[in-house]
Amino acid sequence: MKEEISLYKTAVDSFKNNFRQYTMIIALVVIWLIFTVTTGKVFLTPRNLSNLFLQTVPVGILAVSMTLIIVTGHIDLSVGALAGFCGAVAAVLQVKYQFSTFSVILAALAVGFVIGLWHGFWVARQKVPAFIVTLSSMLALRGAILGVTDGMTIGPMSDSFKAIGQKYLPSMFSAVPNFNDSSLLVAVICIALYLVFDWNSRKARIKFGFDVLPMNAQVLRMVLIGLAMAAFFSVMIFYQGIAYCVLLLMAITVVFSFIAENTVYGRRLYAIGGNADAARLSGINIEKSVMWLFVIHGCLTAVAGIVLTARLNAATTSAGTNMELDAIAASVIGGTSLLGGEGTIIGSIIGALIMASLDNGMSLMNMNITYQYIIKGMILLFAVWLDIYNRRK
């Protein structure tokens, strides 16, 4: 009897610890169902969902690094402008100066690196609030975009560059229409890796004496997540396949989830956001950690700008406008606390998918843009209130 009570308590505690993520998944499903009804089932078609995933990628990449920025107690208002500027630099170099795709990617990453280093210097070394530093950069970079592009749209890009944001994995053997066998192989590998890692994680927790879910609950969770992954991949398998940029987002998510949860550097970031004084007294070099975080963040923002430019096949003066708000909203909706010290990479991706779903669904409904902004603003406000309310409890 005591063992059953203990297992039940473990399951309940696990649900409470992941309550925000479960809530967001349920909210995503509800949003999809609502838009399916209101758009006459157009929303859930493979074509629209595939486009939705493509639409999610730039914001998803920004949300990944924004989550770590917010976890440390900072914020970045310049990511939209920086993504647009990096895309503009890439477009100008390729269209006007005939640089190769590889060269313009390196140039865009270099720009992101330098701007990230600039932000890190002022925030980490000079102790200027990140809000002010990145706000000034947002204004400056908006002007820089106009200066680089001369106020014009720059395009089109080369085929190899466009492939980053528009192309899909080619089929290996199958000639069946609307079936991509290479994407099926990727799906099988991803699901298998998830099952293996999740099971090994359970065994490691048991080995070191940590609580784990009851076996039935563990198997049920693995089955449900496996089915969700299969449904996600099937949308692309039975359309045109997995886009290269979606694969890029998946890789970034896995790498940074590992960094955040399984490395010393990642745990230091959470410690800094949770209690900076305690982190400093424990020997953490806060300045160095924050400096490198902004550098990494700048490079990831450049990647988002490259994907955005490749998807649009051009650099525009308005590229990246309001993306900083979408990235912050995605992180907060996904469970990242604006007070610092709490947040997950997976949660931010779910949040990015929710934001993209709202944009996509409301556009399919031909909703007035005025109401779209109002609804997104209210959702962000509710997400922040929910975080503060839970912390007070």
Side-chain angles (χ1 to χ4, degrees):
M1 184 65 180
K2 290 182 178 180
E3 184 179 354
E4 291 180 358
I5 293 175
S6 177
L7 293 175
Y8 174 77
K9 184 177 182 300
T10 301
V12 171
D13 289 344
S14 177
F15 178 80
K16 287 181 178 179
N17 292 337
N18 296 280
F19 174 76
R20 190 67 175 271
Q21 289 188 24
Y22 294 146
T23 302
M24 290 305 101
I25 292 173
I26 294 171
L28 179 62
V29 172
V30 171
I31 289 171
W32 282 18
L33 291 176
I34 291 173
F35 283 138
T36 300
V37 173
T38 55
T39 60
K41 300 181 180 179
V42 173
F43 184 85
L44 276 185
T45 58
R47 177 180 180 180
N48 185 64
L49 288 179
S50 182
N51 289 333
L52 172 63
F53 297 148
L54 289 176
Q55 184 180 346
T56 305
V57 172
V59 174
I61 295 172
L62 293 179
V64 167
S65 57
M66 182 67 77
T67 295
L68 297 180
I69 292 289
I70 297 176
V71 158
T72 58
H74 299 292
I75 200 164
D76 188 349
L77 300 179
S78 69
V79 290
L82 178 54
F85 180 67
C86 290
V89 169
V92 169
L93 290 178
Q94 183 157 91
V95 175
K96 290 189 175 181
Y97 298 101
Q98 306 301 310
F99 278 39
S100 68
T101 295
F102 181 73
S103 298
V104 299
I105 289 175
L106 287 181
L109 290 175
V111 170
F113 180 92
V114 171
I115 300 298
L117 193 63
W118 171 260
H119 290 164
F121 169 76
W122 286 105
V123 175
R125 302 294 185 188
Q126 303 302 315
K127 311 301 180 186
V128 179
F131 181 91
I132 300 300
V133 173
T134 57
L135 177 61
S136 66
S137 290
M138 180 182 72
L139 299 175
L141 289 170
R142 279 294 160 203
I145 293 174
L146 293 174
V148 168
T149 62
D150 291 328
M152 300 182 296
T153 297
I154 307 297
M157 310 299 289
S158 68
D159 291 340
S160 58
F161 190 92
K162 284 192 300 181
I164 299 172
Q166 298 182 10
K167 297 299 182 181
Y168 301 82
L169 282 176
S171 291
M172 295 182 295
F173 308 109
S174 176
V176 179
N178 295 326
F179 178 77
N180 189 285
D181 54 359
S182 57
S183 297
L184 175 61
L185 178 61
V186 171
V188 171
I189 292 173
C190 289
I191 294 172
L193 287 175
Y194 160 72
L195 296 176
V196 170
F197 284 127
D198 197 54
W199 186 255
N200 287 339
S201 175
R202 174 186 173 85
K203 292 196 296 185
R205 291 182 66 85
I206 293 174
K207 178 181 178 180
F208 291 104
F210 293 108
D211 290 334
V212 295
L213 286 173
M215 180 61 72
N216 292 340
Q218 178 77 29
V219 172
L220 178 61
R221 191 187 76 164
M222 293 173 68
V223 169
L224 290 177
I225 294 178
L227 290 175
M229 293 175 67
F232 167 76
F233 282 112
S234 65
V235 171
M236 295 175 284
I237 291 170
F238 294 103
Y239 182 56
Q240 297 187 51
I242 302 175
Y244 291 124
C245 61
V246 173
L247 281 176
L248 176 63
L249 177 59
M250 290 167 56
I252 289 173
T253 301
V254 171
V255 170
F256 281 87
S257 291
F258 179 81
I259 291 173
E261 299 173 10
N262 300 99
T263 67
V264 173
Y265 178 71
R267 304 321 299 170
R268 284 176 178 172
L269 297 179
Y270 282 88
I272 292 169
N275 190 322
D277 292 333
R280 182 176 288 105
L281 291 173
S282 66
I284 295 176
N285 189 331
I286 296 178
E287 288 76 16
K288 182 178 179 181
S289 297
V290 172
M291 170 74 80
W292 279 109
L293 175 59
F294 272 96
V295 170
I296 294 169
H297 177 59
C299 292
L300 276 182
T301 303
V303 173
I306 291 169
V307 173
L308 180 64
T309 303
R311 183 167 171 265
L312 297 176
N313 192 26
T316 65
T317 56
S318 62
T321 302
N322 291 331
M323 282 184 70
E324 61 277 355
L325 302 182
D326 285 339
I328 294 170
S331 299
V332 174
I333 288 173
T336 305
S337 174
L338 287 173
L339 301 177
E342 184 179 338
T344 63
I345 302 299
I346 297 297
S348 67
I349 296 300
I350 296 173
L353 194 53
I354 288 176
M355 295 301 294
S357 298
L358 289 171
D359 285 333
N360 184 278
M362 290 187 292
S363 297
L364 289 176
M365 291 172 60
N366 292 319
M367 183 180 292
N368 190 298
I369 190 66
T370 301
Y371 300 113
Q372 292 188 34
Y373 281 125
I374 291 173
I375 290 172
K376 289 170 66 177
M378 291 300 100
I379 289 174
L380 176 59
L381 177 62
F382 176 76
V384 175
W385 170 82
L386 184 62
D387 170 57
I388 294 175
Y389 175 75
N390 288 334
R391 289 225 172 191
R392 285 175 178 172
K393 289 185 65 178

